[in-house]
């Protein structure tokens, strides 16, 4: 019985060590929202890619807007009618902001 317990403890420790050695995946954040006019939006951000997408439906004519913060500074807003994506090949996006029109509520994502 003791040998089985000892083996079980060693196996558990080895498995736990393997999980730690592999590490965790890159962080990401996302957000869904619906504007009062019924238009639905989805935003996603990780260290390399940030985007906002406007889905069909609703009566809003607003675009999908996104901007990112890199090295402590916010870049300018970018927008498009369907989906706007910002690629950051350096992988150092600190934060991202997303909205559904120029004057709409801003959603902050933390990659």
């Amino acid at each position: 019985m003791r040998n089985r317990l000892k083996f079980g403890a060693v196996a558990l420790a080895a498995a736990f060590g393997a999980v730690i050695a592999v590490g965790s995946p890159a962080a990401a954040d996302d957000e869904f929202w619906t504007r009062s006019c019924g238009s639905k939006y989805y935003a996603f951000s990780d260290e390399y890619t940030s985007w906002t997408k406007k889905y069909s439906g609703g009566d809003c004519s607003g675009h999908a807007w996104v901007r990112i913060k890199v090295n402590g500074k916010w870049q300018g807003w970018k927008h498009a009618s369907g989906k706007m994506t910002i690629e950051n090949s350096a992988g150092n996006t600190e934060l991202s902001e997303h909205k559904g029109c120029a004057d709409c509520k801003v959603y902050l994502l933390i990659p």
Side-chain angles (χ1 to χ4, degrees):
M1 179 72 165
R2 243 184 194 167
N3 284 340
R4 273 195 251 168
L5 286 174
K6 212 182 276 186
F7 176 76
V10 169
L12 180 61
F16 183 69
V19 169
I20 291 173
V22 169
S24 59
D29 197 3
D30 64 352
E31 180 80 36
F32 290 94
W33 71 94
T34 303
R35 289 183 50 199
S36 60
C37 61
S39 293
K40 298 180 185 309
Y41 291 81
Y42 177 55
F44 171 85
S45 187
D46 66 18
E47 291 89 349
Y48 296 92
T49 305
S50 299
W51 52 263
T52 306
K53 180 175 181 178
K54 178 183 177 185
Y55 290 89
S56 59
D59 298 326
C60 297
S61 60
H63 282 189
W65 293 71
V66 62
R67 71 177 182 161
I68 63 173
K69 186 177 187 179
V70 177
N71 298 323
K73 296 182 181 178
W74 285 103
Q75 295 182 355
W77 285 100
K78 298 185 184 231
H79 63 98
S81 60
K83 180 180 179 183
M84 185 69 238
T85 301
I86 297 175
E87 299 287 343
N88 179 4
S89 62
N92 60 349
T93 300
E94 298 165 7
L95 299 168
S96 65
E97 289 186 329
H98 308 260
K99 58 186 180 176
C101 71
D103 299 322
C104 287
K105 176 182 176 181
V106 174
Y107 295 86
L108 178 71
L109 299 184
I110 303 169

